[in-house]
């Protein structure tokens, strides 16, 4: 399966900075098809800008567009919210749901995250569902229990189309801290998530499970060569074109599917 390298710009950027970053990424990709799929998940107010910039890029090798959150509701009196149909109108292919920063600062529950994933799927947008344990939970030996509980809520609500999601394992203690899960430790959690998806759907092999949390140009290669790490969700390093391009370059080519003899 092709890896997916997705940048999460979080609440960073400006019209000028976005244009410079996107142009530098597009220029870096213009030389040929990358080995992986690429996306940038940007603040919603900048979606029209990014949609226009991506549309006018001379090269076909440009990132897909994504948002960082979506309302679970279709429309109506929800001041400040943005629905999935609106994201779709501005060319979003992906939307991050359940990022730990939203769970932590906005009190998002597992059930709400599952509803957000449902709203995205209904609009034909791929939700990137984030799961991950805090440091206290890891130290208490609860990592598996926490990530399984978070994913179970999404499977419960979206069971029939669970093969259409992307999962991102983001240990909270690794986000923005410079502390990365070791490739073996990350792989162990990814294997747990893979098994859970397998039990839920016979089409689960197509679900990509990304790793996020201080992934950078130096550690990407070792993480991305793990069998169940299907890409990365990149924060800080996605804001520098050279770093983001180096992570993209570190993604191994997909293993060709076995052909029947
Ligand atoms: P950092 O790469 O800055 O640690 O952020 C990871 C993240 O939260 C991506 O969603």
């Amino acid at each position: 399966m092709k890896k997916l390298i997705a940048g999460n710009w979080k609440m960073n950027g400006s019209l000028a900075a976005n244009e410079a970053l996107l142009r530098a990424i597009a220029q870096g990709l213009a030389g040929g098809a990358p080995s992986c799929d690429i996306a940038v998940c940007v603040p919603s107010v900048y979606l029209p800008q990014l949609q226009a910039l991506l549309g006018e890029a001379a090269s076909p090798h440009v990132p897909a567009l994504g948002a960082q959150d979506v309302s679970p509701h279709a429309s109506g009196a929800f001041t400040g919210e943005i629905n999935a149909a609106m994201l779709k109108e501005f060319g979003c292919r992906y939307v991050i749901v359940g990022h730990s920063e939203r769970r932590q600062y906005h009190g998002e529950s597992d059930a709400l995250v599952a509803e957000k994933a449902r709203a995205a799927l209904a609009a034909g947008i791929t939700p990137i569902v984030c799961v991950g344990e805090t440091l206290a939970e890891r130290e208490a030996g609860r990592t598996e229990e926490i990530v399984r509980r978070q994913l179970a809520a999404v499977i419960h609500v979206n069971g029939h189309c669970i093969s259409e999601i992307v999962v991102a394992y983001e240990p909270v203690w690794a986000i923005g801290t410079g502390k990365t899960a070791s490739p073996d430790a990350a792989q162990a959690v990814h294997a747990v998530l893979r098994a859970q998806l397998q039990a839920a759907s016979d089409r689960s092999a197509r679900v990509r499970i990304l790793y996020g949390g201080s992934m950078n140009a130096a550690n990407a290669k070792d993480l991305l060569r793990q069998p169940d790490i299907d890409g990365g969700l990149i924060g800080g390093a996605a804001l520098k074109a050279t770093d983001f391009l180096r992570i993209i370059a570190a993604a191994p080519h997909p293993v060709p599917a076995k052909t029947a003899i």
Side-chain angles (χ1 to χ4, degrees):
M1 148 166 57
K2 236 183 185 183
K3 309 263 179 192
L4 170 62
I5 302 297
N8 174 7
W9 289 6
K10 307 195 180 184
M11 196 175 71
N12 293 292
S14 65
L15 289 171
N18 300 344
E19 179 162 352
L21 178 54
L22 205 274
R23 287 198 192 286
I25 293 170
Q27 199 175 5
L29 295 173
S35 59
C36 58
D37 292 330
I38 305 161
V40 288
C41 299
V42 307
S44 290
V45 287
Y46 293 127
L47 287 170
Q49 182 203 15
L50 271 292
Q51 186 186 33
L53 285 170
L54 291 165
E56 70 200 28
S59 156
H61 310 304
V62 290
L65 194 51
Q68 299 174 10
D69 185 32
V70 65
S71 171
H73 303 290
S75 66
F78 300 101
T79 301
E81 295 276 82
I82 295 174
N83 70 30
M86 295 171 184
L87 298 182
K88 189 79 179 170
E89 269 201 302
F90 287 94
C92 277
R93 173 112 169 258
Y94 298 98
V95 61
I96 298 169
V97 297
H99 192 282
S100 63
E101 287 148 17
R102 294 211 59 87
R103 292 180 190 263
Q104 188 180 348
Y105 306 137
H106 300 270
E108 292 197 3
S109 65
D110 295 341
L112 177 62
V113 173
E115 286 301 323
K116 290 184 172 197
R118 184 195 49 73
L121 287 166
I125 298 174
T126 302
I128 301 177
V129 177
C130 299
V131 300
E133 82 287 3
T134 63
L135 184 59
E137 288 161 346
R138 168 158 285 256
E139 286 174 346
R142 296 179 61 208
T143 298
E144 192 170 320
E145 169 205 333
I146 298 296
V147 298
R148 284 180 57 86
R149 190 202 71 212
Q150 291 170 333
L151 183 58
V154 178
I155 292 172
H156 178 68
V157 170
N158 299 281
H160 53 290
C161 44
I162 203 68
S163 62
E164 304 307 314
I165 74 168
V166 169
V167 177
Y169 169 54
E170 297 208 308
V172 179
W173 49 270
I175 294 176
T177 58
K179 289 185 200 141
T180 319
S182 71
D184 286 349
Q187 164 59 30
V189 179
H190 281 233
V192 166
L193 296 169
R194 176 80 67 210
Q196 190 177 4
L197 289 163
Q198 263 160 6
S201 165
D202 52 13
R203 301 184 69 223
S204 65
R206 54 186 270 130
V207 178
R208 291 190 277 204
I209 307 175
L210 316 183
Y211 170 80
S214 299
M215 191 188 266
N216 57 38
N219 61 31
K221 195 170 176 195
D222 285 342
L223 286 160
L224 292 171
R225 70 154 72 112
Q226 298 299 314
D228 290 304
I229 298 186
D230 306 312
L233 186 55
I234 324 295
L239 297 172
K240 292 188 212 101
T242 45
D243 288 359
F244 193 54
L245 289 164
R246 283 173 65 199
I247 295 172
I248 291 164
H253 284 272
V255 182
K258 286 195 187 103
T259 45
I261 301 170

